Amino acid sequence: MKLSVLEHSHVNEGRSVRDALDETVALARETEKLGYYRFWVSEHHGSAALASSSPEILMAHIASHTKTIRIGSGGIMLPHYSAYKVAENFRLLEALYPGRIDMGLGRAPGGTPIATRALQEHKRYEVDPYPQQIVDLYHYLRDDNPANHRFSGLRAFPETEGMPELWLLGSSDGTAKIAAQLGTPYAFAQFFGAAGDEPLQHYNSYFQPSSYCAQPKALAAVMAVCADTEEEARQLARSNELFFLKLFAGQELRSMPSVKTASDYPYSLAEQQMLDQMRTRRFIGTPGQVKEALKRYADRLHLDELMIVSHIHDFEKRVRSYRYIAEAFQ
């Protein structure tokens, strides 16, 4: 089982943006030592609580402070951008850190409606551009634009011997269908979606071999919190639970709340019911409990890689959670 990391660079209550970014780098270094395979950073816009608004810049910074772990985007929100510019950015990253760069792509806005309008100002889409953008991007990376392409002969520089590993990211059926049809690797955001695991099942069932990969290649990003006792793990998870509760209600907080803030919050009956539903799809407990639950999940869906999301307000306890999970699987 490969274990990887998805990082959102949360600005924790009582901490600064610089603290959040420093902790992101420190977490990358620590998880590299623990044997984690990938370290992906997200893209968010218009949010005071999330410091990662430009994954490419943060990726370069993290890669310069690590040595072996693969660094990637989880993901680039492609409809906001030119496929050609994204290809240039990732070719440059690949030239700087050869053989270590992952290019995760998403189609979600990654922010508020007004931020999306600002990002896509002066753009007009009559049809969904995302599937064609993926194809264009792949050709730019491979230097094999078809002769009948609208930008035939255009190349993305700098030249590199290899190319970033391309993944499509999603939490619903839509992206899973595109990934299966195009034959690309697929990363399922299990931690975020309220739906079941049907997207992964569809991807595996309908995958069409391609030049991207010959057989299905999937991972799932899951929320896991690990501590010495189940009670402590559940307490540590409360910060993220309140953050997501407000996010789903359209009331995003300005920081990741502390355990005390989350524990003191007066939850309504409806909010408590939503929390109970969220907890059914999370992996919280002692090292043994988390390992067994993750293993059952991976075995059921035929996964050989899990990407761990562990939003814990206290950084030292967050590192400890990743260490416990790594040691349990090792």
Side-chain angles (χ1 to χ4, degrees):
M1 174 70 66
K2 289 179 182 175
L3 295 178
S4 297
V5 179
L6 176 59
E7 163 71 338
H8 290 84
S9 298
H10 281 277
V11 181
N12 291 324
E13 179 184 344
R15 306 280 280 165
S16 68
V17 169
R18 184 53 191 261
D19 292 331
L21 296 173
D22 287 345
E23 289 174 359
T24 289
V25 174
L27 182 65
R29 292 169 65 94
E30 289 299 319
T31 50
E32 179 179 62
K33 294 176 185 175
L34 292 168
Y36 282 82
Y37 186 62
R38 310 177 198 272
F39 191 97
W40 286 3
V41 293
S42 61
E43 175 180 333
H44 292 278
H45 302 285
S47 173
L50 298 160
S52 181
S53 56
S54 179
E56 302 99 323
I57 294 176
L58 189 52
M59 285 172 61
H61 183 60
I62 295 169
S64 71
H65 287 79
T66 53
K67 296 179 180 179
T68 58
I69 194 169
R70 296 189 65 89
I71 306 299
S73 55
I76 299 295
M77 301 296 103
L78 190 55
H80 295 325
Y81 311 114
S82 153
Y84 181 67
K85 179 58 177 173
V86 173
E88 289 185 322
N89 286 343
F90 275 82
R91 277 206 150 188
L92 182 55
L93 285 167
E94 178 67 23
L96 289 167
Y97 308 101
R100 292 182 57 202
I101 300 300
D102 292 337
M103 181 173 60
L105 305 173
R107 70 190 306 181
T112 60
I114 191 171
T116 297
R117 292 201 302 272
L119 286 162
Q120 297 186 11
E121 189 176 20
H122 307 308
K123 291 185 177 181
R124 297 292 183 271
Y125 295 128
E126 296 181 1
V127 296
D128 180 10
Y130 187 58
Q132 184 60 51
Q133 284 184 299
I134 295 166
V135 174
D136 289 343
L137 182 50
Y138 188 59
H139 285 308
Y140 288 137
L141 293 174
R142 287 171 54 94
D143 274 336
D144 63 356
N145 246 347
N148 62 349
H149 191 273
R150 61 195 184 283
F151 299 124
S152 178
L154 178 63
R155 298 181 60 197
F157 292 99
E159 293 181 337
T160 56
E161 292 185 5
M163 60 177 280
E165 195 171 293
L166 185 150
W167 290 76
L168 298 192
L169 284 57
S171 60
S172 63
D173 288 347
T175 300
K177 291 177 180 177
I178 295 173
Q181 182 179 1
L182 296 179
T184 70
Y186 176 60
F188 176 50
Q190 185 268 4
F191 75 97
F192 189 81
D197 301 312
E198 289 80 5
L200 265 177
Q201 295 167 353
H202 178 96
Y203 172 77
N204 287 322
S205 298
Y206 294 96
F207 177 86
Q208 298 179 22
S210 71
S211 56
Y212 296 100
C213 48
Q215 57 189 10
K217 183 176 182 178
L219 64 81
V222 298
M223 179 71 67
V225 175
C226 199
D228 290 313
T229 66
E230 182 178 357
E231 176 58 28
E232 182 188 4
R234 296 200 174 279
Q235 281 295 108
L236 294 176
R238 294 186 72 85
S239 297
N240 177 257
E241 289 174 347
L242 178 57
F243 185 86
F244 264 78
L245 192 68
K246 291 298 184 181
L247 180 66
F248 291 148
Q251 305 168 8
E252 186 174 355
L253 300 175
R254 293 187 59 82
S255 63
M256 171 69 73
S258 66
V259 171
K260 184 179 187 308
T261 296
S263 298
D264 292 344
Y265 178 83
Y267 296 92
S268 67
L269 178 60
E271 289 174 328
Q272 189 58 57
Q273 291 174 338
M274 184 175 290
L275 283 181
D276 291 341
Q277 179 62 31
M278 286 167 53
R279 287 167 181 163
T280 63
R281 293 181 56 77
R282 299 187 169 194
F283 303 85
I284 301 170
T286 64
Q289 290 172 324
V290 170
K291 176 189 175 181
E292 288 307 311
L294 287 175
K295 190 174 184 304
R296 285 196 302 271
Y297 176 78
D299 288 346
R300 179 167 60 84
L301 293 167
H302 309 291
L303 295 168
D304 61 7
E305 182 171 356
L306 294 173
M307 184 164 276
I308 308 299
V309 186
S310 193
H311 296 151
I312 296 174
H313 182 271
D314 184 294
F315 181 69
E316 295 304 321
K317 292 178 181 178
R318 190 170 179 223
V319 172
R320 184 187 65 177
S321 178
Y322 278 105
R323 183 174 69 249
Y324 280 175
I325 293 171
E327 290 173 349
F329 275 90
Q330 188 174 25

